[in-house]
Amino acid sequence: MVEKNGLLRRVAGLVLAACVGACASTAPRGDGEGGNTVYYPPLPESPRIQHLVTLATDTDLVAGDNGFAKFILGEDKKESRLLQPYGTAMDHGRLYVADTGAGAVAVFDLAARKLEYVGGSAGGRMKRPINIRIDTDGKRYVTDTGRDQILIFDRSDRYVSSLGEEGQFRPVDLAIVGERLYVVDILHHSVQVLDKTSGKLLFHFGKAGSADGELFHPTNIAVTPEGELLVVDTSNYRVQRFTASGQFIRSYGAVGASPGSFARPKGIAVDPAGRMYVSDAAFENVQLFDRDGRLLMSFGQPGDGKEGLNLPTAVTIDRDNIEWFKRYAGKGFDIEYLIFVASQFGPNKIDVFGFGRLQGKDYPIDAVSIRAADSELAK
């Protein structure tokens, strides 16, 4: 099914990029740290999203130009950089990135301005980490498709234990909900629900297929403010919504080349208002939907520029670490939460965006501003 529609996905990506990428290509650049501020939608409209910064190497953590970075880090220091990033998570000023290519989790320490790697040791050594989630108690849960297990680390990044027996699943993502782990199993086209403490399988839902509630290569999962589950059904080109007990509620999207459709959906995140962010590796952008599935806007576009996305994967939203990124905000842009988007190709990197409002601009109440020229996207 994936190969059969390969050409369609590529064409869809080119068409959608031409349709919605223009919003960013003409975006004015302003006065965030380092200049060249990029807004979506662009001024003179009322922007809701700003590209803040790109993190790919340890030198990205040092203020100033590359010359200053070399002075601080040393001329002979070999640059550390991301190889194949996928999932991200923030915890107290530290950005954790599951780096599939490195076989480890990269940690950008924003306070110490350094990049280091956590690969585990002995029984906890990582092979192919895909996603990382951090629980309220500080435990880190890493889905590893090289081991077909979930690896658990403590707040100090020390290996604690692993979940998953041989042949049980191929975990690509998980959601932590109370005492349960909702594990996306790409091998069996399902979601397995485990007891967080014992790892015991409580139940599972989904099976291979394309009917409502069936899945084909699911990849990522998010939890809504109401406690419902959103699963990216990648090879069915849609997002499906389930109850916490695994009952199908509805689906969003279909394969196509028009805005609001999908070609290769990957990452998903939900903001406090229930809006859905879905990245698409073929379109090379992120589409933003309201809680009813209506497309509001998109951001990012193909390209090697600082705001360009290259095979974007996971999307993560964070409200607790805004202070670390305020210095990158354009003058008068108030950040409400952060959006992290990983790119797995070309300049492998994490792009950090801010959702918010620009002072002095009018915004519709409880709505995302949409370009008048793109009003059809809201239908």
Side-chain angles (χ1 to χ4, degrees):
M1 184 175 184
V2 178
E3 295 300 323
K4 180 179 179 180
N5 291 285
L7 179 59
L8 176 59
R9 291 201 308 269
R10 187 58 183 164
V11 172
L14 294 173
V15 172
L16 187 59
C19 179
V20 299
C23 294
S25 62
T26 58
R29 301 165 185 270
D31 51 1
E33 184 174 287
N36 298 327
T37 304
V38 177
Y39 290 122
Y40 304 86
L43 296 171
E45 297 174 57
S46 301
R48 294 312 306 261
I49 293 174
Q50 182 202 332
H51 181 274
L52 298 174
V53 66
T54 294
L55 297 176
T57 73
D58 48 4
T59 58
D60 293 327
L61 296 172
V62 179
D65 59 22
N66 289 335
F68 181 72
K70 289 180 180 178
F71 172 73
I72 295 296
L73 299 173
E75 288 282 350
D76 297 329
K77 183 181 183 300
K78 185 177 180 181
E79 184 180 66
S80 297
R81 68 166 48 247
L82 296 175
L83 298 180
Q84 195 178 11
Y86 199 107
T88 64
M90 279 289 299
D91 185 40
H92 294 86
R94 291 161 65 89
L95 173 63
Y96 288 78
V97 182
D99 191 337
T100 304
V105 170
V107 185
F108 288 89
D109 190 324
L110 303 181
R113 293 180 180 268
K114 66 179 182 179
L115 169 61
E116 56 188 9
Y117 277 87
V118 176
S121 59
R125 185 169 298 281
M126 301 178 199
K127 290 185 178 180
R128 190 175 173 80
I130 299 294
N131 265 302
I132 179 169
R133 303 289 184 180
I134 300 178
D135 204 353
T136 53
D137 62 0
K139 284 184 180 177
R140 292 84 159 97
Y141 292 78
V142 179
T143 55
D144 191 315
T145 59
R147 295 181 49 141
D148 286 346
Q149 287 185 316
I150 299 165
L151 307 181
I152 305 173
F153 297 81
D154 65 16
R155 191 185 293 275
S156 299
D157 301 325
R158 294 173 299 205
Y159 172 68
V160 175
S161 61
S162 60
L163 302 176
E165 300 176 355
E166 183 176 356
Q168 180 178 347
F169 48 44
R170 181 155 297 157
V172 289
D173 195 12
L174 63 81
I176 306 170
V177 182
E179 295 303 309
R180 291 178 173 180
L181 299 179
Y182 288 82
V183 183
V184 180
D185 180 5
I186 195 171
L187 179 63
H188 300 103
H189 311 282
S190 66
V191 175
Q192 295 198 30
V193 186
L194 311 182
D195 177 83
K196 187 171 66 175
T197 303
S198 67
K200 178 182 177 182
L201 177 64
L202 302 176
F203 62 93
H204 72 275
F205 59 91
K207 63 178 182 178
S210 57
D212 290 345
E214 296 179 342
L215 301 166
F216 197 54
H217 296 137
T219 51
N220 289 271
I221 189 170
V223 183
T224 71
E226 301 83 9
E228 295 171 344
L229 306 167
L230 294 169
V231 180
V232 180
D233 192 5
T234 297
S235 291
N236 281 324
Y237 315 102
R238 64 188 180 184
V239 173
Q240 295 200 68
R241 183 185 290 258
F242 297 89
T243 67
S245 60
Q247 296 174 315
F248 170 80
I249 299 175
R250 62 167 297 183
S251 66
Y252 309 90
V255 64
S258 61
S261 59
F262 299 119
R264 200 184 306 162
K266 284 291 185 72
I268 189 166
V270 182
D271 76 2
R275 292 179 289 243
M276 300 177 289
Y277 289 79
V278 183
S279 66
D280 197 299
F283 294 160
E284 298 193 304
N285 71 354
V286 178
Q287 298 187 79
L288 173 57
F289 301 85
D290 69 13
R291 61 197 311 147
D292 295 318
R294 293 185 293 261
L295 180 63
L296 298 172
M297 62 178 291
S298 66
F299 61 95
Q301 67 280 325
D304 294 336
K306 72 173 188 177
E307 69 275 16
L309 301 179
N310 294 269
L311 297 186
T313 54
V315 181
T316 306
I317 286 177
D318 179 89
R319 292 186 290 170
D320 300 325
N321 292 271
I322 295 173
E323 290 296 325
W324 295 101
F325 296 92
K326 275 188 174 180
R327 64 193 177 104
Y328 300 108
K331 184 177 181 180
F333 189 77
D334 296 323
I335 302 172
E336 297 176 26
Y337 55 80
L338 303 169
I339 309 158
F340 298 87
V341 184
S343 286
Q344 266 203 324
F345 185 74
N348 303 286
K349 58 180 183 168
I350 304 298
D351 283 292
V352 187
F353 299 85
F355 180 94
R357 297 169 182 256
L358 189 62
Q359 296 173 12
K361 288 288 185 178
D362 293 326
Y363 290 88
I365 299 176
D366 297 327
V368 173
S369 177
I370 303 173
R371 298 184 70 195
D374 293 335
S375 60
E376 287 297 315
L377 303 187
K379 293 183 178 180

